[in-house]
């Protein structure tokens, strides 16, 4: 990745730490937009990456215990890491803001995506407005749209035209069909499967088509 993306990663880690610092114990225990993950679990997941966690052996053990189910293994290692004090998790994000360290199986291109989407997973249930900075928004939306597994956004959301609010350089857009407009945060949530949370934030003639087609009862899994 280029230096600009690493700078966006740094900014997201620092701004997330600022948002988290004043939270109460009750807020840390709030269910996030990721099924079976609390705010604490999500933050632990984000703090693990620049710490180079999980290491291969603990992850292998978790995979065996989860019978090869990658999502369940990831949930379990995040919950284990989340046993740390809240102040330590926040301080870890601050200390590691410039870190380029990561587990062996993490793709560099997904680090910023992870921070942006999981930042919304935490902020939305807490009722906190967390706008996505323009450069981070453009990179994140394009990355999600171009990916296959685990989101398959281009295939799953075919038939509408997405257009981001003017936070993104030149206004990010993708797809063909009736228009669906929204902030980069709302579009990122929709494209990564946070359907029930995202739909009320979207506008345009394509929203009704999406609502009819997508199963809003399905809760997303952390990715």
């Amino acid at each position: 990745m280029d230096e600009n993306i690493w700078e966006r990663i740094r900014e997201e880690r620092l701004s997330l730490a600022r948002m988290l610092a004043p939270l109460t114990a009750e807020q840390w225990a709030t269910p996030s937009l990721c099924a079976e993950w609390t705010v604490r679990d999500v933050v632990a997941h984000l703090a693990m990456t620049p710490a180079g966690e999980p290491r291969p052996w603990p992850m292998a053990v978790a995979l065996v215990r989860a019978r090869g189910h990658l999502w369940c293994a990831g949930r379990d290692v995040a919950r284990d890491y989340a046993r740390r004090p809240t102040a330590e998790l926040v301080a870890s994000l601050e200390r590691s803001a410039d870190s380029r360290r990561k587990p062996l199986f993490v793709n560099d291109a997904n680090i910023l995506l992870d921070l942006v989407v999981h930042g919304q997973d935490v902020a939305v249930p807490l009722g906190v407005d967390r706008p996505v900075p323009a450069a981070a928004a453009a990179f994140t939306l394009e990355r999600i749209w171009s990916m296959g597994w685990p989101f398959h956004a281009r295939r799953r959301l075919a038939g509408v035209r997405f257009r981001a609010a003017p936070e993104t350089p030149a206004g990010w857009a993708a797809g063909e069909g009736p228009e669906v407009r929204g902030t980069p945060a709302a579009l990122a949530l929709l494209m990564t499967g946070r359907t029930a949370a995202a739909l009320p934030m979207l506008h345009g003639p394509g929203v009704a088509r999406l609502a009819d087609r997508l199963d809003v009862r399905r809760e997303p899994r952390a990715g």
Side-chain angles (χ1 to χ4, degrees):
M1 292 193 296
D2 65 36
E3 292 301 315
N4 288 330
I5 299 304
W6 285 113
E7 179 60 26
R8 303 293 83 77
I9 289 170
R10 175 182 181 275
E11 291 170 356
E12 285 297 298
R13 286 172 175 161
L14 291 175
S15 69
L16 183 61
R18 289 192 296 270
M19 187 188 86
L20 296 167
L23 296 186
T24 65
E26 182 180 10
Q27 288 173 310
W28 277 92
T30 300
S32 76
L33 294 184
C34 293
E36 302 179 29
W37 292 50
T38 64
V39 166
R40 177 184 291 276
D41 296 333
V42 173
V43 174
H45 169 73
L46 294 175
M48 291 175 74
T49 297
E53 298 283 354
R55 290 180 170 81
W57 177 247
M59 189 63 187
V61 171
L63 278 168
V64 170
R65 289 175 177 168
R67 298 182 180 181
H69 196 299
L70 181 60
W71 181 85
C72 291
R75 174 201 61 197
D76 293 344
V77 296
R79 284 179 174 174
D80 186 60
Y81 203 83
R83 294 174 183 170
R84 288 163 170 75
T86 54
E88 183 178 333
L89 293 174
V90 173
S92 177
L93 283 172
E94 292 176 329
R95 287 194 308 269
S96 65
D98 289 313
S99 175
R100 301 187 184 186
R101 191 180 180 192
K102 59 182 179 62
L104 292 175
F105 44 82
V106 169
N107 186 322
D108 286 0
N110 292 342
I111 296 176
L112 181 56
L113 180 164
D114 217 34
L115 284 161
V116 169
V117 174
H118 284 315
Q120 298 302 318
D121 286 337
V122 169
V124 171
L126 293 175
V128 176
D129 183 29
R130 183 172 170 77
V132 182
F139 179 90
T140 298
L141 293 175
E142 192 57 38
R143 175 64 181 162
I144 298 170
W145 189 252
S146 66
M147 291 173 72
W149 183 88
F151 307 121
H152 302 284
R154 187 192 299 266
R155 183 189 68 197
R156 186 169 53 86
L157 302 173
V160 296
R161 173 75 169 171
F162 293 103
R163 187 173 301 280
E167 289 106 321
T168 57
W172 183 87
E176 298 295 334
E179 189 170 83
V180 174
R181 300 183 303 277
T183 64
L187 293 180
L189 288 175
L190 179 74
M191 291 194 296
T192 55
R194 283 75 169 160
T195 307
L199 281 177
M201 306 178 190
L202 301 173
H203 308 279
V207 175
R209 175 177 292 189
L210 286 178
D212 288 341
R213 194 171 77 209
L214 299 176
D215 185 355
V216 299
R217 296 168 298 177
R218 286 191 63 190
E219 292 296 332
R221 292 191 162 186

